[in-house]
Amino acid sequence: MNDNSEQAPVAYQLDRWLVDPQQYRVCSGDVTRAVEKKTFEVLLYLIRNRLRVVTRDELLDNVWTGRVVSYSVLARSIMKARRAIASDTTQIETVHGVGYKFVGEVAEVTPPAVPAQPNATRLPRRAWWAIAGSLAGLVVGILALYLLSQAPPVAQPVAVLPVSNQTQQSDLKWVEHGLGAVLAEAMADNAGVWVIPNKQVEALLGDSPDTAPALADNLGTDRLIESALTREDGQFHLIARVVNLGTERVDHEVRVSGTDPVALVAEAGSKLAARITTTNVVSQHLVSQDAFANEAYAKGQDAMLKGHAPAAEDYFKAALRQDHSLIGAEFGLASAVRDQGRYGEAMEYYERLRQLAQGKGLDRLEADVLHAMALTEWRRSDLDQARQLEEQSMNVRGTADPIATGASELFLGILASRRSEYQKAASHYANALAAYQQAGYLPGQASTYNSLGVLAWRQFDISTSEAMHERALDIRTRLGQDRQIAASLNNLGTIAAFRGQLENAVDLYQQALALRRQLSDPAGIASTLRNLADLDIRLGHLDQAKVKIDEARDIALLLNDEVRKAWVAGAAGRVAWAAGDQALARDFFREQLSYYLALDDLANSAATKTMLASVLPKESEQAARLLDEAAASARALGQSDTVFQTQLVRARRLVESGDLGEAQSILENILDTPDRPDSRKTIADVAALLGQIYASHGLLDNAAELLPDMEGWRADYPPVLLSQACLAAASGEQERAVALHQRAVRLAGQAVPSLLAEAHPDCRLVD
């Protein structure tokens, strides 16, 4: 690290924590915190340049000398530095749009003597998993499967790079990505070839196709498929080769010529696959005899890779008008329709393709169609049907391709998590992680860590959730996956917000928003704006929240995305609710409900009905009907948590109307039922409200029994603090009661009723 501060041996005492540059550690007495090297250097640079603003570029230049590093990496280091010294933002301030400033008190002291064995207590890297696993029971058994990365290696995959367009023709801009997708599909049609998903290759390459060696490192393969298309005298010429980066030579090469570039690419892919596997399997569904149909199909693939589903739909339909037997175009059309929320129409296409694949014995196509059908059923909240279809897909596909196996296990884990079947979800995630590690496939590992973070979040294990998301962010940062980095920053921002670390949350969300604007990712921008609006609500900045929601609404309308329209309507409802305008909040929640009902999204419809019931007048009969409907839907979907949330809202409404006895009975039944919710958050909400009712009734022993178990894992959760405040007040500890209540209000970010425990809207992380 380069800076001009004095180099004499010195350590820095910050309140109770000692920052020791000689040993790269932060300690307090016998407690030593492990801090990553770059995080430590960021902290040290800020301390040595304290009481002035240090720009982000200055930090990057002096800590990451000579390396190109994004602001998101710096934001993560700042977050870890704050945590290392047990500070939110009181010592390291964010100067928005500029950089950071260390404002804490610092005393320069003589560093302690270096121990004789400085590394004696250091843990090996894999011991991290044992630590993370001990934080909660949700990942029991994962450590054993994690070690399966030592299993015998499987056949090495191939990564298909985009086709190099050397025709110099402006009307062939679709060639690079569209033909690249066709080439990958043609090779994957050979059962003996394991092709890394084309979307993953495209995501890792970004806008720089010259990073093949780094791409190979991150995908666990040395075999890349390079190709180039030229045109001369009305003929297209394609060269495609298998490049082995390990031996730095070309293993196989094919040259083909003709008038139809799509047919050439499909032919070249089949020939390369045949040479790799010594079997000759030619694609039966990617190529048409009609060149126009082939071009439209490739353009559709190009549009899908770029996230333009409506344009892709038009291209695929054009291809099918020319050749209705072009199976690849029909599969693409089904996916484009699905991505626009027309799930029933998509399922009709998929079912026809499934029957066709079975009739022709195209096992891989059948497996792909079953997987696509499972995703569609998941999107419309039929989790049971989605699970059955995905299991069928796995049975048809087999286990020869560990990346496909990992994807199926990951998806089954997400489905189990959504059904609150947390142990089953953990088992699927363990299987996914083992498959991805066996393949050396880092993008899949990052996705699995992300889902483990969401699983821990749903079990209210915030520390494990944060560790998993940081693990995912570490991998995604290494891969340079800006889109996925933004998602991880967004999730970590949600965790910081939940902990009451609001300025840190704003910083993380702003980093995510900047990346998403840079990537021109409108859907991601809308999602982050919604999260920032929620923070504005908690901070009381309702006008700023409205501005962000208006922008998010404009994006949702521009995309014609019904799902995001629903999200934005819900966010607008929360703003209105926070502003005390319950009538307007009801209007927005009704609008949100209308979108979910139109999408046939039963799960989110049930959740929205529960929210709408919360803001209806106390005497409203409609509230009871909405809660009955929501509970019935949730039971049918196997979503026990939502069922218990409806009962919790009933209890809160009874509390509002003064019927504490009936509310107490509902809450006690939730805790006593044999199938009580798995979600620790739901249990915390129930126990916190019940504790307040006990305290208000003078049942101090009953209230005290509920609270100690909660203190260890969620002492800063506002409903728990309110319950503790009620107990303290009833016990005559008025000063402590006031302090607890004030802390609850500060963490919630808005005034909270003394009895009603709804401190702030529930946040969600993204699978």
Side-chain angles (χ1 to χ4, degrees):
M1 181 177 64
N2 300 327
D3 72 81
N4 299 320
S5 302
E6 64 174 272
Q7 299 300 313
V10 65
Y12 302 94
Q13 187 70 52
L14 320 176
D15 192 16
R16 58 184 286 248
W17 293 100
L18 180 74
V19 178
D20 184 359
Q22 307 304 307
Q23 299 181 50
Y24 268 72
R25 67 173 186 169
V26 175
C27 58
S28 176
D30 294 333
V31 178
T32 298
R33 286 186 167 170
V35 183
E36 294 176 0
K37 185 174 183 289
K38 291 300 181 186
T39 298
F40 187 89
E41 290 180 354
V42 166
L43 175 60
L44 192 58
Y45 193 90
L46 290 173
I47 291 172
R48 287 176 171 169
N49 294 276
R50 55 192 177 276
L51 302 182
R52 74 173 180 88
V53 176
V54 179
T55 67
R56 292 181 293 182
D57 287 336
E58 180 182 346
L59 276 168
L60 293 177
D61 289 343
N62 285 276
V63 176
W64 286 271
T65 307
R67 290 182 57 194
V68 178
V69 177
S70 68
Y71 288 152
S72 62
V73 175
L74 175 60
R76 185 169 58 86
S77 291
I78 291 292
M79 178 183 66
K80 290 184 176 181
R82 284 171 172 156
R83 190 178 309 130
I85 57 175
S87 168
D88 175 11
T89 57
T90 56
Q91 297 189 73
I92 301 176
E93 286 186 351
T94 299
V95 182
H96 292 293
V98 181
Y100 304 93
K101 180 180 180 182
F102 193 92
V103 296
E105 293 186 7
V106 180
E108 297 187 2
V109 298
T110 302
V114 178
Q117 294 181 316
N119 294 323
T121 59
R122 291 191 62 188
L123 291 169
R125 288 183 63 84
R126 293 200 175 187
W128 178 91
W129 253 102
I131 296 170
S134 68
L135 293 175
L138 74 120
V139 289
V140 173
I142 290 183
L143 180 58
L145 286 164
Y146 178 84
L147 297 176
L148 286 178
S149 57
Q150 302 303 312
V154 297
Q156 193 183 62
V158 295
V160 180
L161 302 181
V163 174
S164 175
N165 180 13
Q166 299 179 10
T167 65
Q168 307 301 318
Q169 291 184 231
S170 59
D171 62 334
L172 293 177
K173 292 180 179 179
W174 51 271
V175 161
E176 181 179 346
H177 301 289
L179 290 188
V182 175
L183 181 57
E185 285 289 325
M187 295 197 68
D189 262 3
N190 188 310
V193 178
W194 165 19
V195 179
I196 291 169
N198 189 252
K199 282 188 176 181
Q200 294 288 359
V201 176
E202 295 274 358
L204 287 175
L205 281 175
D207 296 325
S208 177
D210 299 324
T211 57
L215 176 72
D217 287 343
N218 294 325
L219 293 175
T221 181
D222 286 332
R223 295 197 298 179
L224 305 180
I225 308 300
E226 296 180 343
S227 56
L229 183 73
T230 59
R231 189 173 190 180
E232 184 178 352
D233 299 329
Q235 287 272 316
F236 288 101
H237 307 281
L238 181 79
I239 300 175
R241 54 173 65 102
V242 181
V243 179
N244 190 318
L245 294 178
T247 60
E248 297 184 348
R249 64 184 178 85
V250 175
D251 286 349
H252 306 285
E253 181 178 290
V254 298
R255 296 171 180 260
V256 289
S257 299
T259 58
D260 184 348
V262 179
L264 295 182
V265 166
E267 180 185 354
S270 296
K271 287 182 175 179
L272 283 180
R275 294 185 185 183
I276 291 172
T277 62
T278 69
T279 60
N280 191 11
V281 179
V282 180
S283 171
Q284 299 179 32
H285 64 274
L286 289 176
V287 185
S288 169
Q289 297 299 314
D290 187 297
F292 181 83
N294 286 337
E295 180 178 329
Y297 167 60
K299 287 180 176 178
Q301 290 279 31
D302 177 62
M304 285 295 284
L305 283 168
K306 294 174 179 176
H308 301 156
E313 179 184 357
D314 291 340
Y315 283 127
F316 291 134
K317 283 182 175 177
L320 290 168
R321 281 196 295 269
Q322 294 297 120
D323 184 350
H324 63 84
S325 66
L326 189 53
I327 298 175
E330 187 160 5
F331 187 93
L333 175 60
S335 299
V337 167
R338 179 197 65 200
D339 288 355
Q340 296 176 73
R342 288 148 48 198
Y343 303 132
E345 186 180 346
M347 288 299 286
E348 291 177 7
Y349 286 124
Y350 285 136
E351 183 57 40
R352 188 160 60 243
L353 283 168
R354 177 186 182 182
Q355 294 175 11
L356 183 62
Q358 288 175 336
K360 292 192 173 186
L362 299 173
D363 288 348
R364 177 181 169 273
L365 176 61
E366 183 184 358
D368 287 345
V369 170
L370 286 165
H371 176 67
M373 294 174 76
L375 286 172
T376 307
E377 294 292 5
W378 170 52
R379 291 189 182 185
R380 60 181 185 182
S381 301
D382 192 338
L383 304 185
D384 275 337
Q385 186 66 15
R387 176 183 55 78
Q388 292 173 21
L389 288 165
E390 189 61 35
E391 288 173 347
Q392 291 176 43
S393 175
M394 290 185 71
N395 289 335
V396 172
R397 193 186 304 275
T399 59
D401 181 346
I403 291 182
T405 298
S408 289
E409 290 285 2
L410 179 59
F411 182 51
L412 288 170
I414 291 171
L415 293 174
S417 177
R418 292 293 174 87
R419 290 178 58 88
S420 303
E421 297 171 348
Y422 297 134
Q423 292 299 322
K424 185 179 292 186
S427 176
H428 283 302
Y429 290 150
N431 293 339
L433 193 59
Y436 286 138
Q437 287 173 336
Q438 184 181 20
Y441 187 54
L442 290 177
Q445 293 176 42
S447 296
T448 307
Y449 286 126
N450 183 81
S451 291
L452 281 166
V454 176
L455 178 61
W457 171 268
R458 289 185 175 141
Q459 289 188 288
F460 214 29
D461 187 346
I462 309 304
S463 296
T464 298
S465 180
E466 186 173 45
M468 295 294 104
H469 285 296
E470 286 182 351
R471 185 82 163 183
L473 181 58
D474 284 340
I475 295 174
R476 288 167 170 176
T477 301
R478 170 184 165 185
L479 298 178
Q481 294 177 293
D482 282 347
R483 193 176 299 271
Q484 288 77 17
I485 288 170
S488 289
L489 289 169
N490 212 62
N491 285 341
L492 288 168
T494 299
I495 290 171
F498 193 78
R499 283 180 157 156
Q501 301 168 349
L502 302 188
E503 189 167 345
N504 195 21
V506 169
D507 196 30
L508 289 163
Y509 283 148
Q510 290 287 5
Q511 294 292 338
L513 184 62
L515 270 177
R516 286 172 163 171
R517 290 195 191 280
Q518 179 184 335
L519 293 165
S520 299
D521 176 11
I525 292 168
S527 176
T528 305
L529 285 170
R530 183 189 61 164
N531 289 338
L532 282 166
D534 277 338
L535 276 185
D536 285 334
I537 294 171
R538 293 177 61 185
L539 292 166
H541 303 157
L542 300 187
D543 288 340
Q544 294 180 30
K546 290 175 183 176
V547 170
K548 293 180 178 67
I549 288 170
D550 285 343
E551 183 182 353
R553 182 184 291 274
D554 289 342
I555 291 171
L557 291 172
L558 179 66
L559 294 174
N560 196 25
D561 187 323
E562 304 300 298
V563 173
R564 284 173 178 79
K565 288 178 187 177
W567 286 0
V568 174
R574 291 195 293 276
V575 171
W577 193 0
D581 191 340
Q582 292 201 334
L584 183 58
R586 290 194 289 272
D587 289 342
F588 280 125
F589 290 140
R590 287 189 178 107
E591 179 186 343
Q592 183 181 36
L593 180 59
S594 70
Y595 287 126
Y596 284 136
L597 289 173
L599 290 167
D600 199 21
D601 187 337
L602 301 180
N604 279 312
S605 294
T608 306
K609 286 178 181 178
T610 304
M611 183 71 79
L612 178 56
S614 300
V615 295
L616 287 170
K618 290 185 292 186
E619 63 279 3
S620 172
E621 295 181 0
Q622 184 188 9
R625 178 176 59 79
L626 286 169
L627 291 172
D628 286 341
E629 292 174 358
S633 295
R635 286 192 189 95
L637 295 170
Q639 295 183 316
S640 59
D641 253 13
T642 303
V643 174
F644 289 113
Q645 284 293 333
T646 63
Q647 295 177 15
L648 182 58
V649 170
R650 288 185 200 276
R652 286 174 176 157
R653 291 181 61 80
L654 288 167
V655 168
E656 287 179 328
S657 62
D659 191 348
L660 301 188
E662 182 61 23
Q664 176 180 328
S665 176
I666 290 174
L667 297 170
E668 287 175 339
N669 285 338
I670 293 176
L671 294 181
D672 292 341
T673 185
D675 58 341
R676 61 185 282 175
D678 290 332
S679 168
R680 299 171 75 187
K681 179 185 182 302
T682 300
I683 294 173
D685 286 337
V686 170
L689 184 54
L690 184 57
Q692 293 175 56
I693 293 173
Y694 283 155
S696 67
H697 283 167
L699 303 172
L700 304 188
D701 289 342
N702 298 47
E705 286 179 5
L706 289 171
L707 297 179
D709 289 341
M710 290 188 283
E711 290 183 9
W713 48 268
R714 202 62 193 98
D716 283 346
Y717 186 43
V720 174
L721 290 168
L722 287 172
S723 193
Q724 292 172 334
C726 286
L727 178 58
S731 302
E733 303 175 56
Q734 193 61 32
E735 186 174 341
R736 181 169 180 267
V738 170
L740 287 166
H741 188 274
Q742 289 176 343
R743 181 165 179 76
V745 171
R746 183 180 69 79
L747 288 170
Q750 61 186 33
V752 287
S754 59
L755 189 60
L756 186 60
E758 182 65 76
H760 55 80
D762 186 22
C763 297
R764 292 193 178 125
L765 301 186
V766 182
D767 279 308

